[in-house]
Structure formats: structure tokens, C-alpha cells
Amino acid sequence: MTASANFLRVNAARKSFGQVLVLGGVDLAMPRGELVSLLGPSGCGKTTLLRIIAGLLAADGGTVRLDDRDITTVPPHKRDVGVVFQSYALFPHLTVAENVAFGLAARGRPKSETAKTVARFLDLIHLSDFAGRSVRMLSGGQQQRVAVARALAVQPKLLLLDEPFSALDRKLRETMQIELKRLLRELAITAVFVTHDQDEALVMSDRIAVMNQGCIEQIAHPLTIYRRPATPFVLGFVGLSSRIDGRIAAQSGGEVAIDTAYGRIAARANFAPGTRAIVAVRPERLRIGGDGLANSIAVRFQDLAFQGSKALLHFDAGPSEQILVETADLAADSLKAGAEVTLSWAVEDTLVYPGPGEGAPS
Amino acid sequence: MTTAADNSTRPQRDWTAMLTVPAVAYLAVIYLMPLVWLLTKSVSGPDGFSIEPFMHFFSDPYSWRVMTNTVTIAVGVTLVCLIVGYPVAFALAWSRGIVQAALLVAIILPLSIGVVVKAFAWQIVLRRDGIVSQILVGLGIWSEPQRLLFTETGLILGAANVFLPFMILPIYSVLKLIDPHLREAGATLGASPLYTFRHIVLPLTLPGAVSGIAFVFSMSVSMFVIPSLLIGDRFQTLSTLTGRSFLLMRDERLGSTTAVVLLAIAVAIVLASTWISRRLGGRS
């Protein structure tokens, strides 16, 4: 089996509800065994895309191919695409084991084989002792595991998960994320995971597709998404950042110099001189003090948000700007409001985006 | 029933049960007292307590015909309501906005029209040259026009028309509570729409269907006005016979006997359906 990059291939998927464009021609390609998150705010079209892949919703245009088969018009029950619903959608009149067995029974698998598969999956989710219980008697976390086992028991080609952790409390959610990721890895499942929670996406995914207003803004490895966000939206949606307005002063050999209210800043980018730009840096990349790093600015300390293992320092900035520093050095809390501080960072940590009203980088 | 003394050791008395006092008082006067009178009457002979009226009733073949009539008609009405009403409940639950509102009005509004008014409409529809007869002849199902009025079929059709909402609404209310994702979950697990219906939707709607059946059956087993208007004296049911005994024949003994038999049938239905619902509910 070649690691085809096109195990799942969504081409130019479009969908409108009435006058509202929900999906504006989305492309998505995934190799076998990959776990991709669709991350975005509510209303960005991520669930719509998921439902189109599952066949629960007909797209207005575009195609869906899975394992070299065009499934665009194939009804959901013939697609071999499993879904874990946000509400879990467990069958309330059936027991835990009957829920897990449902798909196998519907496909007419022999009883002995079904029983064996059910036992194996109940064991995988550590619910063997609950086989005969009504699903209504289970806790939220247990129900969620049954929903996953039920979807996996039929060994679908592709598993879709629609915000499967949103109903769980934070602590349980973190445990379940790790547990589910391990299970999906073990079974080599290809999965698409819808979430609005960036931490969840960062933890779970091989790649994250950040969606906004019916388009995928960027699809990349979580580290790339965080370190090198492709658009200001991705920058703002995933993680925190310091942002300063500026104007390109000079460009040469893949480097630009940007004039800002805090002085000149250097970055690796290609922009025509004169264009307005937004300069951004991740908060943990900023150092307090000179340190001999290429870029440095002098700013006034405003206040501090203590977060346990780390602290976020806020500095005075312009109305559309924001200057944040994340530090684990808690001596920083000795800073007085209004104190002047020098912040510095490396050129390669400097992100540049076209300013308001400017086109994409040349 | 908890009394005030039961709660005397508790810091706070629970007065919630008091909310039922008006209803209990009302039912005691309007319902319970006449019922007790009726029950007493049915087991009292000239020399005090006697079950002789029941012995006499059950030994008369005519009584059995009346009971058979009653149950047959009730079963027929219930079946027609179930067959017609079950799909309608789905249409009502799955439609949206104006269509749903229109359906709901179409189902509820006829309840506000009196049975007598409806009966006259049916007389027009069901007579020999009525529209039903004409359609059936037109379709070639009947070779010549026939009268449906004053027949058992006419009675079943007419009564089903009146009781249909009582079948639709309980099924609809159960359907509305079913997570719409359940059907989608069935589909994504590889179940055909028919399999999903058979194994998910149908079992989950059964409690609604059982209460609909209980409603319609208990109402049609005891209906009085509709058979009087649609079929007349030729065909007697337990309630028309009860009515005749009291109003025409002035035979209070026969009247109270038939009334008690009817009551027993109705109570049996309610108990049986509650039991079935519990069992279904326990599983679901």
C-alpha cells in the first residue's frame, strides 16, 4: 500500500443555506492513517464539511472521493464512514453491547463474529463490565467511549468526530483526548476531527485545518500552525500574540525592515516598500531585556496575569495593537506598573502580515 | 396520600399535595359519587346484594352480540387511526415552520367542531350517491353505488375521523423527543433507512403508539353519540344499550350492569396499556 496523499479527497465543496454561504469551495486531501482537525469558530463551516463527507448533507457543488471511489452521491449507509456525534446519539433503548453491535448486525455479520468484535471493543474502551447496562446509566465520559467504540466496531474507512469532547468537563476532556488519540493510533484509523478548541486540536492532530468563513485558511502540522500562522486569522485564533502596526520601509533579499511606533523591526518576508503591515510575535518568543537579539522595542509595563507555571505580562500598546510577553520567570512580578522595559526577539520569530486594506504578500 | 401527621417531625411541611384538592373535590362529587351509586345499583337485587343481574346478562346471547359489536368497532376504529395517524405524526414532527403549523391546525381544529355537526357531514359523504360511493364506483372497486351510512364500516370511518388526533398527538410527542441524530447514527453505521426504522425509530415510538391506542380504544369502546347518529338502533353497543336502558326502557338494573361491564373493559385497557408502556419504557 502506498501512502497515497489522496485517501480522502474533497474537491471544491460548496454549500449555502438560503442566502448564507457556509462553505465556499473547500479542498481537503488526506493520506491513510492521518488525523486532521477542522478547527474554527462556530459558523465557520467545519461541521457542514464533516456532514458532507459523511453524506448526511448534500453539497451544492464539488466532489468527495474516498479510497479511490467517488462517493459524492453515495448515501451515508453505503459510504463506510463512521461518525461520533457531539450528542453521542447512542440508541437509548439498547444496552452498551447492543449499541456497539448495531453496525455489525445491520451489515448482517454472523452472530459469533459480532460478539467477538463487541467484546474486543468493549475491552479497548475499558467498559467490558458494563456490556449489559442501559446506555442511559452511563456517565458522560463512558457514553462518549461507547459512541467511539460503536463507530469503530464496523471498521470504517474513515472516522469523523464532531466535537466529541465538548460535553465533558475540562479534566476528563484532557484524559479522554490522550486516550482517544492512542486508540486511533493503535487501530491506524484515518480520522477527521471537528473542534473549536485550539488546545484540543493541538493535542490530537497530525495536521490542523484552520477554517474561517467557509474556507480553510491554513492546513499544516500543529507546530507550523502555531509558529508560522499563514494569515492574521490563524494567528489570532490559535494561541496568543503580540501585534504591532507598521509600514514596510525597505526590502532586500527576502528581508524587510518595518517602521513602527516603537522603532524599526526586521523580518523575513517579501513586501513592497510602502505597504502597511502587521508585525506579530508569539508571547513566549519575547525576552525581557536586551540580550543582543536583533529586534528590540521599549515599552511600558501595564499589568500581569499569573497562570501558575507561567505569567502573562501586558504592556501599553496602540488601540489596534497588543503587546504580550509570556514568561516562566516569576521574578517578573516585581515589575511596577508604568516601568519602562526593553523587549527583544529574533528576526526568524518575527511574523509579518499585510495590514488592513492591503493585498496578500507578493 | 400523606397526611399532615406524617410530616410533623419534619421541619418543613410539604403542601404540594394540597394543589390537587380542587380536582379531587370536583371528581368526588361529579364522578366518584355517581360511580359508587352505579356500582351499588348493579349488584343490588330486590333482597339486597345480588350478582343475579350479571348472571342474567352474561347468559343472554344478545349481550354477547352487543359486547362483540362494541369491541369489534373499537378495534376497527383503533386500527384505522393507527394506520392513518402513525405516518401523520412523522410528517408533523419532521416538517418545519408554516407546514408544521398548518398540519397542527388541520389536526387540532376539527376537535372544536361538534360531533353532531360532523355527523351531518358524514351523512352527505357516506350516503348512496355520496362522494365515497361515487369514487369507489369510478375506480371500479364497486360495481354499483352503495350506502355506507348506517353500516359498521361507516361507523368505523366516522369514529376514526373524530378520534384521529388522539392517536397522532401522543406519537408526535414521543417522536419530538427522539434525537434526530439517532437516524443519522444508524445510517453512518451502515444501516439502511428501513433497518434504522425497524430497529431504532419503531421501538422508540412504541410507547407513544401504545398510549394513542389506549386513548382511541377507550374512547371508541364507550362512544355513544357517534353510533347513535351513524348507525342507529339496529346496531347496539354497550354504551348505546346502557343509554337505552336508562332513557328508554327505564331499566336501571340492566343499564348499570352494562355500564359496569363497559367500565371493566375500559379499566382493563388502561391497566394493560400502562403495563405495556412501563415495560417498553423500562427498556428504553
Side-chain angles (χ1 to χ4, degrees):
Chain A
M1 182 188 74
T2 53
S4 158
N6 292 333
F7 182 66
L8 171 70
R9 182 167 191 90
V10 180
N11 233 329
R14 275 188 300 107
K15 182 74 193 176
S16 304
F17 293 113
Q19 297 291 309
V20 187
L21 182 75
V22 184
L23 225 48
V26 168
D27 297 320
L28 178 68
M30 284 170 66
R32 199 187 286 264
E34 194 182 41
L35 207 170
V36 168
S37 291
L38 304 178
L39 174 67
S42 57
C44 72
K46 55 192 193 299
T47 297
T48 305
L49 178 57
L50 185 100
R51 292 176 64 79
I52 286 171
I53 297 171
L56 299 172
L57 195 67
D60 296 339
T63 55
V64 182
R65 293 184 69 86
L66 179 65
D67 199 11
D68 282 332
R69 186 163 78 113
D70 188 340
I71 56 167
T72 313
T73 54
V74 174
H77 67 279
K78 290 183 179 157
R79 281 197 182 198
D80 233 353
V81 174
V83 180
V84 175
F85 292 86
Q86 190 171 8
S87 64
Y88 312 143
L90 297 179
F91 305 128
H93 58 304
L94 302 179
T95 64
V96 170
E98 285 169 340
N99 263 278
V100 177
F102 186 89
L104 298 162
R107 285 157 200 241
R109 298 275 166 81
K111 282 226 163 68
S112 59
E113 184 201 319
T114 300
K116 239 184 266 172
T117 312
V118 170
R120 178 169 154 244
F121 277 91
L122 287 182
D123 187 47
L124 274 176
I125 58 166
H126 314 299
L127 283 178
S128 299
D129 296 342
F130 291 73
R133 293 261 188 110
S134 160
V135 289
R136 289 183 181 177
M137 313 297 279
L138 303 182
S139 70
Q142 290 168 334
Q143 291 190 356
Q144 202 269 336
R145 271 142 63 194
V146 174
V148 170
R150 182 181 68 177
L152 287 178
V154 293
Q155 285 160 320
K157 285 183 177 156
L158 176 70
L159 181 68
L160 308 176
L161 303 108
D162 187 6
E163 309 236 6
F165 303 119
S166 62
L168 307 178
D169 64 63
R170 190 174 161 178
K171 208 144 201 173
L172 184 58
R173 191 155 60 205
E174 285 168 3
T175 323
M176 301 286 297
Q177 284 166 6
I178 307 276
E179 203 176 301
L180 180 63
K181 188 179 177 179
R182 193 177 302 151
L183 185 66
L184 296 181
R185 279 280 142 70
E186 236 166 72
L187 302 171
I189 300 290
T190 314
V192 178
F193 187 100
V194 161
T195 181
H196 65 269
D197 180 342
Q198 46 163 309
D199 295 330
E200 200 162 284
L202 291 170
V203 169
M204 298 285 302
S205 332
D206 295 320
R207 282 192 301 159
I208 298 175
V210 181
M211 290 186 70
N212 183 34
Q213 295 182 342
C215 294
I216 293 180
E217 297 240 343
Q218 184 178 13
I219 174 160
H221 187 274
L223 195 68
T224 311
I225 293 281
Y226 185 76
R227 290 270 173 82
R228 313 239 48 109
T231 65
F233 176 82
V234 178
L235 172 80
F237 194 77
V238 181
L240 298 167
S241 59
S242 292
R243 266 164 293 167
I244 305 169
D245 297 333
R247 194 176 281 278
I248 308 291
Q251 182 211 11
S252 72
E255 279 215 24
V256 288
I258 307 142
D259 279 332
T260 70
Y262 309 87
R264 187 164 278 207
I265 291 169
R268 300 231 164 91
N270 282 309
F271 283 93
T275 41
R276 292 204 288 164
I278 299 167
V279 180
V281 192
R282 291 297 187 187
E284 75 282 359
R285 295 273 138 188
L286 289 166
R287 303 264 177 285
I288 296 170
D291 281 12
L293 290 171
N295 288 322
S296 73
I297 58 174
V299 282
R300 243 173 241 293
F301 176 67
Q302 205 176 44
D303 70 54
L304 170 144
F306 180 61
Q307 295 179 333
S309 60
K310 60 189 197 239
L312 267 185
L313 312 179
H314 291 254
F315 294 87
D316 283 344
S320 62
E321 301 175 333
Q322 161 169 284
I323 301 176
L324 284 174
V325 174
E326 186 190 304
T327 176
D329 171 20
L330 299 179
D333 67 3
S334 60
L335 281 173
K336 295 260 184 308
E340 182 126 321
V341 177
T342 303
L343 303 177
S344 57
W345 68 93
V347 173
E348 56 267 29
D349 289 329
T350 315
L351 306 165
V352 189
Y353 302 97
E358 302 285 357
S362 53
Chain B
M1 174 93 81
T2 55
T3 64
D6 288 338
N7 293 330
S8 58
T9 52
R10 303 245 179 97
Q12 202 99 59
R13 286 183 188 188
D14 186 2
W15 293 102
T16 317
M18 298 300 283
L19 293 171
T20 62
V21 165
V24 170
Y26 170 81
L27 286 176
V29 174
I30 295 298
Y31 190 68
L32 191 61
M33 277 164 43
L35 192 64
V36 169
W37 177 85
L38 190 73
L39 284 169
T40 320
K41 204 78 185 167
S42 72
V43 289
S44 53
D47 319 313
F49 177 80
S50 157
I51 56 161
E52 191 269 329
F54 284 98
M55 307 278 284
H56 184 255
F57 177 81
F58 284 114
S59 61
D60 186 349
Y62 179 71
S63 308
W64 287 97
R65 229 184 63 215
V66 171
M67 283 192 286
T68 312
N69 284 349
T70 310
V71 174
T72 311
I73 292 294
V75 168
V77 173
T78 309
L79 276 180
V80 171
C81 284
L82 187 64
I83 291 162
V84 176
Y86 193 77
V88 174
F90 282 77
L92 188 61
W94 291 350
S95 56
R96 299 261 167 277
I98 192 102
V99 178
Q100 190 178 40
L103 275 174
L104 209 55
V105 168
I107 292 161
I108 308 263
L109 203 61
L111 287 174
S112 64
I113 298 167
V115 173
V116 179
V117 178
K118 277 186 193 159
F120 283 110
W122 298 327
Q123 297 201 351
I124 296 164
V125 172
L126 298 175
R127 66 191 182 200
R128 191 183 302 277
D129 59 348
I131 186 142
V132 174
S133 176
Q134 284 178 14
I135 288 172
L136 288 173
V137 170
L139 289 174
I141 294 167
W142 281 356
S143 52
E144 57 183 43
Q146 285 182 44
R147 167 174 63 81
L148 272 168
L149 194 61
F150 307 124
T151 67
E152 284 90 327
T153 312
L155 173 59
I156 288 174
L157 292 180
N161 174 288
V162 179
F163 299 140
L164 190 58
F166 298 97
M167 181 62 83
I168 297 170
L169 294 175
I171 299 172
Y172 163 69
S173 65
V174 171
L175 260 178
K176 230 176 33 171
L177 294 178
I178 299 177
D179 180 355
H181 289 310
L182 292 188
R183 280 183 298 137
E184 298 186 342
T188 59
L189 289 166
S192 66
L194 192 67
Y195 190 93
T196 304
F197 175 79
R198 165 84 183 74
H199 289 90
I200 300 170
V201 180
L202 186 65
L204 290 174
T205 51
L206 273 187
V210 169
S211 36
I213 289 169
F215 273 135
V216 173
F217 194 90
S218 54
M219 283 190 297
S220 46
V221 88
S222 60
M223 63 187 173
F224 175 74
V225 178
I226 301 171
S228 310
L229 291 170
L230 278 186
I231 201 159
D233 288 345
R234 180 181 66 79
F235 185 88
Q236 290 296 327
T237 65
L238 279 170
S239 56
T240 54
L241 185 59
T242 309
R244 276 168 67 84
S245 314
F246 279 113
L247 301 170
L248 277 149
M249 306 189 286
R250 299 281 166 198
D251 185 347
E252 287 184 355
R253 192 112 51 89
L254 177 61
S256 49
T257 305
T258 52
V260 167
V261 172
L262 184 55
L263 182 69
I265 293 175
V267 167
I269 293 155
V270 171
L271 289 181
S273 67
T274 311
W275 182 75
I276 294 169
S277 289
R278 283 264 169 80
R279 278 202 46 156
L280 293 171
R283 282 245 321 136
S284 57

